[in-house]
């Protein structure tokens, strides 16, 4: 029942992202830390700062081939046992029409596994170390480093939208020209 409700709730978001007609690598659809923060904040992830750090770590600050080819922020492989927003698979990894669909799919993945995802941060880091056993405890240490560097651990910095730099200019005064007679 939870899966059906989750699918119904995420379907409108999935459809709106899927219907985008932006070409790949379009500047408007390029991912940044700020756009990723906004997208993650729009979904009810348990540990939003850790999710952002995971996307950054998994993609090497958005430069990995898997991200560039598949719009796959989390290195997710082909899915057989749950609903997914992936449109195809390339080299065994899920391919998405845009990076936002990858975030939605990661949320769906976490929702399906909700009962095994620990609610405490330290337990969640330990859980991730077990999942990424080939990396070991350095995985969670790298995530913690990214969280500290981007100040994602400070709720105010995380929730505050990026500041826009506004340059104030003085209005131009028109010079009065003398009419020549």
């Amino acid at each position: 029942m939870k899966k059906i409700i989750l699918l119904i709730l995420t379907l409108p978001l999935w459809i709106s992202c899927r219907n985008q007609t932006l070409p790949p690598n379009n500047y408007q659809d390029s991912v940044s830390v700020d756009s990723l923060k906004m997208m993650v904040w729009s979904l009810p992830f348990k540990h939003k700062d850790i999710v952002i750090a995971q996307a950054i770590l998994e993609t090497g600050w958005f430069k990995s081939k898997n991200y560039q080819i598949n719009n796959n922020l989390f290195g997710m492989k082909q899915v057989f046992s749950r609903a997914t927003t992936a449109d195809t698979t390339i080299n065994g990894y899920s391919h998405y029409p845009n990076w936002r669909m990858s975030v939605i799919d990661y949320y769906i993945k976490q929702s399906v596994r909700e009962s095994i995802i620990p609610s405490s941060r330290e337990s969640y880091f330990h859980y991730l170390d077990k999942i990424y056993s080939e990396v070991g405890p350095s995985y969670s240490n790298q995530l913690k480093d990214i969280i500290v560097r981007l100040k994602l651990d400070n709720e105010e910095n995380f929730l505050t939208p990026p500041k826009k730099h506004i340059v104030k200019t003085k209005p131009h005064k028109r010079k009065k020209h003398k009419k020549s007679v």
Side-chain angles (χ1 to χ4, degrees):
M1 185 67 172
K2 282 185 180 180
K3 291 179 185 177
I4 293 171
I5 293 172
L6 175 67
L7 188 58
I8 291 170
L9 291 174
T10 58
L11 190 60
L13 185 59
W14 180 75
I15 290 171
S16 68
C17 287
R18 193 164 184 96
N19 290 336
Q20 292 181 357
T21 57
L22 298 172
N25 297 329
N26 185 313
Y27 176 74
Q28 291 176 329
D29 195 43
S30 62
V31 68
S32 67
V33 173
D34 289 332
S35 61
L36 177 62
K37 282 168 56 174
M38 297 301 270
M39 183 66 187
V40 168
W41 183 249
S42 72
L43 296 168
F45 283 104
K46 277 189 181 177
H47 305 285
K48 296 174 189 299
D49 58 334
I50 298 173
V51 171
I52 292 167
Q54 279 184 280
I56 291 168
L57 182 59
E58 293 291 330
T59 61
W61 293 87
F62 315 118
K63 294 180 182 173
S64 73
K65 283 187 179 181
N66 188 32
Y67 164 67
Q68 293 177 357
I69 293 170
N70 293 326
N71 293 315
N72 189 333
L73 290 173
F74 300 96
M76 292 187 289
K77 297 199 175 190
Q78 185 175 9
V79 177
F80 298 105
S81 60
R82 65 169 173 81
T84 182
T85 58
D87 57 3
T88 190
T89 303
I90 299 176
N91 297 328
Y93 290 93
S94 297
H95 176 274
Y96 301 94
N98 58 57
W99 67 267
R100 289 174 187 84
M101 298 305 286
S102 172
V103 176
I104 293 169
D105 198 34
Y106 193 63
Y107 172 70
I108 293 170
K109 178 181 177 181
Q110 283 200 345
S111 298
V112 169
R113 296 179 176 180
E114 183 177 15
S115 62
I116 61 172
I117 294 176
S119 56
S120 81
R121 293 176 57 74
E122 283 308 312
S123 297
Y124 188 60
F125 280 123
H126 184 68
Y127 166 78
L128 291 174
D129 286 338
K130 280 184 179 179
I131 290 177
Y132 297 97
S133 59
E134 68 276 1
V135 180
S138 67
Y139 186 79
S140 62
N141 291 337
Q142 291 175 51
L143 292 175
K144 289 174 184 177
D145 180 55
I146 292 170
I147 290 167
V148 169
R149 278 200 286 169
L150 294 178
K151 299 178 183 170
L152 297 175
D153 52 346
N154 182 345
E155 194 170 311
E156 283 183 25
N157 289 336
F158 186 74
L159 299 178
T160 305
K163 294 179 183 176
K164 293 183 179 179
H165 298 287
I166 300 173
V167 178
K168 294 183 179 180
T169 58
K170 294 180 181 178
H172 294 284
K173 292 183 179 179
R174 290 186 147 189
K175 292 182 180 180
K176 293 182 181 179
H177 294 285
K178 294 180 181 177
K179 292 184 181 179
S180 53
V181 184

